[in-house]
Amino acid sequence: MSAATRPSKLFKNLNAKIASIPMILTALCVFVGGTTWTVVYSFTDSKLLPRLRFVGIEQYERLWASQRWIVSIENLAIYGILSLVFSLVIGFLLAALLDQKIRFEDTFRTIFLYPFALSFIVTGLVWQWILNPQFGVQGIVRGLGWESFSFDPLYNADIVIYGIMIAGLWQGTGLVMCLMLAGLRGIDEDIWKAARVDGIPMWKTYLFIVIPMMRPVFITTLVIIASGIVKLYDLVVAQTGGGPGNASEVPAKYVYEFMFRAQNLGQGFAASTMMLLTVAIIVVPWAYLEFGRRR
Amino acid sequence: TDLEVTHWWTSGGEAAAVAEFAKAFDATGNKWVDGAIAGSGDTARPIMISRITGGDPMGATQFNHGRQAEELVQEGLMRDLTDLATKEEWAKLINPPTLLQNCTLDGKIYCVPVNIHSWQWIWLSNKAFADAGVPVPTNWDEFVAAAPALEKAGKVPLALGKQAWQESGALNVLMAAIVGPETFLKVYKDKDETVAAGADIAKVFKAADDARKMAVNSNVQNWNEATAMVINGQAGGQIMGDWAQGEFQVAGQVAGKDYTCLPGLGLNAVIATGGDAFYFPKVDNADISAAQETLAHVMLSPETQVAFNLKKGSLPVRGDVDLTAANDCMKKGLEILAAGKTMQWTDELISPDTTQQMNDLMAEFFSTPTITPEDAQKRFAEIIAKAD
Amino acid sequence: MTSVLVRDVSLNFGTVEVLKALNLDVPEGEFLVLLGPSGCGKSTLLNCIAGLLDVSAGQIFIKNKNVTWEEPKDRGIGMVFQSYALYPQMTVKGNLSFGLKNAGVAKDEIEKRIARTSEILQIGPLLERKPSQLSGGQRQRVAIGRALVRDVDVFLFDEPLSNLDAKLRSELRVEIKRLHQRLANTMIYVTHDQIEAMTLADRIAVMKGGVIQQLDAPQAIYNRPVNRFVAGFLGSPAMNFLDGELAAGPSFKIGATAVPLARYTFDGSASRIGPAVLGIRPEHIAFGDAAKASPFSQQVEVELVEPMGSDTLVWTRLGSQNLSFRVEAEKPLTVGDKVLIGFDPARASIFDSTAGNRI
Amino acid sequence: MTSVLVRDVSLNFGTVEVLKALNLDVPEGEFLVLLGPSGCGKSTLLNCIAGLLDVSAGQIFIKNKNVTWEEPKDRGIGMVFQSYALYPQMTVKGNLSFGLKNAGVAKDEIEKRIARTSEILQIGPLLERKPSQLSGGQRQRVAIGRALVRDVDVFLFDEPLSNLDAKLRSELRVEIKRLHQRLANTMIYVTHDQIEAMTLADRIAVMKGGVIQQLDAPQAIYNRPVNRFVAGFLGSPAMNFLDGELAAGPSFKIGATAVPLARYTFDGSASRIGPAVLGIRPEHIAFGDAAKASPFSQQVEVELVEPMGSDTLVWTRLGSQNLSFRVEAEKPLTVGDKVLIGFDPARASIFDSTAGNRI
Amino acid sequence: MSNPATLAATVAGADAIAAELGGPSGPRPRVTFSRRNIILYGTLIFAAIYYLIPLYVMVVTSLKGMPEIRLGNIFSPPIEITFEPWVKAWATACTGLNCDGLSRGFWNSVRITVPSVVLSIAIASVNGYALANWRFKGADLFFTILIFGAFIPYQVMIYPIVIMLREIGLYGSLTGLVIVHSIFGMPILTLLFRNYFSSLPEELFKAARVDGAGFWGIYLRIMLPMSLPIFVVAVILQVTGIWNDFLFGVVYTRPDTYPMTVQLNNIVNSTQGVKEYNVNMAATIITGLVPLAIYFISGKLFVRGIAAGAVKG
Ligand SMILES: Nc1ncnc2c1ncn2[C@@H]1O[C@H](COP(=O)(O)OP(=O)(O)OP(=O)(O)O)[C@@H](O)[C@H]1O
Ligand SMILES: Nc1ncnc2c1ncn2[C@@H]1O[C@H](COP(=O)(O)OP(=O)(O)OP(=O)(O)O)[C@@H](O)[C@H]1O
Ligand SMILES: [Mg+2]
Ligand SMILES: [Mg+2]
């Protein structure tokens, strides 16, 4: 009975490793490599083309001195927080309503979900039009005789971001509803029965029992929405182009404009690095909770 | 040979003009592959630059000459046209000579200017003023004075697309017209911040404030939609470059009868000689190189120049072409050009980065009534101080 | 006095009739067990009584009050679920008090009831814990507490122990029995475990396909099952069934062997001639000397021995049919041994071979 | 001859040591049962033997060949899983032939083996069905067939019956036992059901916390458990444990009562004085006349009666400690009855009260 | 078949009480227009209207002529239905000199979407499978990086990817774009597949290993046939994502391979004089038709797949 030798660790699961090469390459080259590259060049004064002429944190100083960047950040914060709250609330409400064993559930669900199939470009265009003061809602209401009615979010710098949010919610709540519905369907049937026997009203059951139980679903949803919010770009471009003025500017657009229009790559990279940092602040704790704890 | 040409000329007049290039080029036995990208130069340029830096260059591409392509040239990505230029003696043909200078870097020529565009125009709708019962103004001040009457008649006095480049363009036009080319150059060429903060420029910002008030009800984005408002008499006028003329032409309007144009806003008839130029990225393929040369040649040929510029509403780059067919407004331009009353424009003077900051400022100014002209001027001076 | 009365209750899910005009009458203080295989409608019946499902037809009375259309909370019932269904993010105390708070019970009354309940169930030290910090048995106790604290007349249990391991199950079984002895409430208890049913029930209702097959005291059901289904469902190791022929005499012929049925008490007036099935429980088969004394005995060969610790199950054949019998653990039998077995036909059950009813 | 040999095998999940330098030696043809509570590492050990988990230390031999680093398929093992793990999209036939095809067995050979297997397990008529069209018992049989068809030396079963209901479980138990008698292969069988362990095993390895507590024949483990854990884990109803004091004599004092230990065989040389625990199984406690004949007897009061059909469990108290004993179903005892009970100390087990080892 | 004696007694007792009490029997009466139903369906219908309005506006507008649009009311149904805008949007709308509408872009989109969807799903499902069933050292690290990648704004990566594609000589080719889509689809899809495969019983995987199937054997023969729901989700997500993509399409292709969205943008933004809203809307609907169709066809499977792959716990 001679002891067989332990095979080399490298060749264990060799097939799995080979199959994971695309993933490893993507992770290393594209995500790590690309990110590092971006961060490094954010410390240079690259203009149209990337050049390694380091200027320290000058780009960052300029970034935070820029009114436009501040507006972008504010807008993203307002949009982000409100659309997080609203899409969770609306998504959950719709899911809860659909969960009442109603008729035509499929129809309603399809109606709520279909905007998700459309691109932001399409969404932006349609809502731009609906919110157009001449043809859209304001025009109609005024046409009905209410002359002083005013609803022109896309042309009013103070509320333009809410106009964008209306469109964003229209497109995004369907998916949230879907996730919530899946979560609700995963709740043990007996919990509902127990709550009914205990005589707990429906809304209390949702609020105090079901929602806390759906924590993981909420977290997953939150992360999905958040990742979308950070990337907010197409919708703004299609709906307002950042206007009126710079009132609906968002960071992703700032990055794009500085990299390509202003031909100031360094500035664009600095802005993207700030975005990455924000993302890291959101994602790392989540990733830790989600994947770190389990292994 | 197929040659892909990218540009951002997609509005009615522009497209008609491009068609002339394509026709002339196709006639040489090559094929013009059109790569139009809609949504103004701001959208198109990044794509063009990525293509060139990404190693998949097009055959030729439009840029505004000036500093937009500077780095691409420095990086050696653009083809050197000096040989062709010497052979065809562009230096003699092209007028004013600054056009060719703008294509030159370290003594080498890298682009073909195709037209002269000037920003300093205001386009007025004769119909709108007739409706309002006031005479068509002859300069900016009269225009401002006529605004209340227009408003009363349910018109928008000033049509202005809500895009930053239009707004900052309007400011620059006002500046050139109100304070004259010298002060303009002090600000933009010498980057003299005391001038920028001074009393002269304060007048300009006051005028911009007027413009802002007059344009409050102008709910359009693209410049040609604003032009459309002038064309159909909804708006009194629009500050826009001479490319707007193409739109009037496509709409079948006649200069002097249906619309009026005032170079230099009727105050200071000087025009800038900016314009469009074509660059030819370096390629390995000999066929394409040959086609590039052909295109460069075709673009400068007298017939093409006439046909193109008539459609486009811009001025030809050669002084030796016959433009009898030109309309009222073009003739005004040609006269100013002939008189040598030209000046440099911001494209040549400040970097895109500074332009962007200007744009940001003006976008904010025009959309935020609470920003006073004084505030805006102060920030303007700061930008000029740091400009490059 | 009748505590729960189910009258002609039917229930359909779509076109499937799950309960078929079912009648049930549970006297005050009785421990009734609903026993049956999976899918027979036990939970459905319980849910109907609780008001969690709307009956399709029929009436339900609790404490002589027609509650057919009442909400669950107004029926005076408490329910314990298989999956415990504790509110996971509330403490044990929160779980116990949530229903009371909603019913608007005064604060000190709530405290008092929780104190009493936790004393009965000995969950005092657990009050501040969350369900996830409890063991299976403790969770089950809290689930019972949640019903207990509401001071209800009728307790409904839906397989409350089936998620637990065997050891805990037998412990909690005893606890539930003690609880019933102490509270003397009416309890209706659903299970598919016949040991649980036998040990807990005052009466057992054996269900199959939405119909109650037999409703009687455990020993009666065990010893005199009304049909072959009930006979086979109760008892572990299971009853032996031997196919054969009822003959005059009366006797039961299994191949060449005849079992004399003089001591068997026939039921009703069914035909006593023709093919039939004889059922006999493994523990009613004697062997060795005891077999000799039996009215019927036979020499057989041991085929398989299953020691189960406390006793041993021995498999053999009678004619060509499998037969098992139980012997004490100490009796050493090995495969191939020839032994004499026998049983008293009075303890057997005979069923007709088509419908399976007791003869 | 040794069929499976596990030598000093350890296994860690991260920092948790699930198996601790475990040794096991299974002779050819033996039916070994791994028995233990949930989470004790039974499945882990089985997976190590199958090669589905890499051991952290130690070696595994199958048929005297070191297979520590072999792939599962090369170890000559077949495995049957708790959840059946049938490939849902393949027919039964596809399930059976999948492994053979992977091994490149010729077509007609595959046919032959499937024919033989389906004859042994009587699944011939099911061959063309999908697993979803099978009942639980049939699925289990197919799962066994999948191991059988591969003609392996060692069968590994991981709780193959625990998803089935009690009735089916006891039927399939008998089938597996018959299968073993017929094939005479080595079988290693994991379960936490002690009845299964007792009935099936040639030897049982009782595990706890990754360590084998006792490895012996079923009756030996049942009657002479090496520690309190093993004693409590086997047997249902569970063994009674009575706290008390070992005194000279030797005798065992429970409060005022003394149990004479003259007939008890002590183990080893542990101290025979001081606090200890006496364990006695319910079925070893006699009552009534039989109790009088016992070396120890005592008058007690009945507190609770649990009829279980075949017999009845009676709960009472000795001193202040709970005690249960088993009586035949016919003996009518009711709560409050005073009875005499007694047992033979030779059948009891005594454990030290701290470590719990047998004294 | 109940014990006759017991049952008879029961029923007799029951009758006595029932005679006394009578009262409700059978199912609880259901009011169709109960307050609950009115609120429930009212809210749902109200919400449905909000979600449907844009679609309605798009369709209605696309069927109107320009004169009618200038009249103003976007909500009024067309007086005279015309399909001309559709024809124009599909076949003749101009961008620069190209006047072939969306038709070219449609086929480009198909040529981009199909291989991208197939490739990205193929890669991601294998990754997810490897991560769920064949954990090797470091796999989790790569996976975490990958997930982080899901949050990186695309703008950040445009430039580095331009350089990478240039270096491997794929810039501007369809292959390059397909690779880009696969890369950016990978994080979310891998997460979905990993979650799904881990939710499948591990014993199945073990059984297959004992049966001698290898990495690919198990993937192809065991895992794939069981993964329909998650594949549906992946296909839906990828088709909509890639079909609707604008940024990559415009940056990494050339005009003759522009996808539909880029052409849509060109058409919408190259206004020749007045904005032709009807054509724009028709173009918009045509562009959205493919993903919409997929949703309407497989919406039910989508929810099921989401439940299986995305939402755990
Ligand atoms: N919501 C439902 N819709 C349709 N059929 C149902 C529904 N709930 C239960 N059934 C069917 O009703 C029958 C009885 O179900 P029930 O849950 O009462 O069985 P059970 O006796 O409790 O079984 P178990 O022991 O498995 O809990 C089953 O055949 C089941 O398929
Ligand atoms: N993949 C894993 N990672 C970490 N710990 C594990 C893993 N698998 C099992 N364990 C731990 O190892 C211990 C033994 O698990 P194992 O599955 O062998 O128990 P078992 O005896 O088979 O229990 P059961 O009867 O519940 O199947 C448990 O405590 C479990 O938590
Ligand atoms: Mg049930
Ligand atoms: Mg296990």
Side-chain angles (χ1 to χ4, degrees), chain A residues 101 189 193, chain C residues 11-14 16-19 36-47 53 82 158-159 190-192 207 210:
Chain A
K101 299 194 174 72
E189 193 72 21
K193 293 185 177 172
Chain C
L11 191 127
N12 310 325
F13 283 122
V16 189
E17 197 172 26
V18 174
L19 298 180
S38 188
C40 71
K42 309 179 295 290
S43 301
T44 305
L45 174 56
L46 208 67
N47 282 329
L53 281 175
Q82 170 172 1
D158 193 354
E159 313 204 14
V190 164
T191 181
H192 60 237
M207 286 181 71

Side-chain angles (χ1 to χ4, degrees), chain C residues 289-356:
Chain C
D289 292 342
K292 261 185 222 146
S294 298
F296 165 78
S297 66
Q298 176 89 6
Q299 187 82 13
V300 292
E301 187 184 321
V302 174
E303 285 208 328
L304 190 78
V305 177
E306 284 198 294
M308 305 203 285
S310 49
D311 15 54
T312 299
L313 198 66
V314 181
W315 289 85
T316 172
R317 267 167 211 277
L318 194 63
S320 62
Q321 299 179 55
N322 282 329
L323 186 76
S324 67
F325 60 95
R326 199 173 83 167
V327 299
E328 278 168 48
E330 288 78 21
K331 300 266 160 69
L333 279 179
T334 46
V335 176
D337 286 357
K338 296 253 189 306
V339 292
L340 187 75
I341 58 165
F343 59 85
D344 179 358
R347 295 181 130 177
S349 299
I350 296 174
F351 307 104
D352 81 37
S353 61
T354 46

Side-chain angles (χ1 to χ4, degrees), chain E residues 262-310:
Chain E
V262 177
Q263 299 222 302
L264 170 69
N265 180 59
N266 281 347
I267 288 172
V268 169
N269 281 323
S270 32
T271 43
Q272 326 235 325
V274 183
K275 269 202 172 182
E276 290 186 291
Y277 284 109
N278 51 359
V279 177
N280 292 351
M281 289 299 155
T284 306
I285 299 176
I286 294 175
T287 311
L289 228 43
V290 167
L292 273 181
I294 290 190
Y295 265 73
F296 286 127
I297 295 167
S298 50
K300 210 169 188 168
L301 283 172
F302 183 68
V303 179
R304 211 179 306 157
I306 287 268

Side-chain angles (χ1 to χ4, degrees), chain D residues 42-44 82 158-159 190:
Chain D
K42 310 179 293 291
S43 301
T44 306
Q82 171 172 1
D158 192 356
E159 313 204 14
V190 163

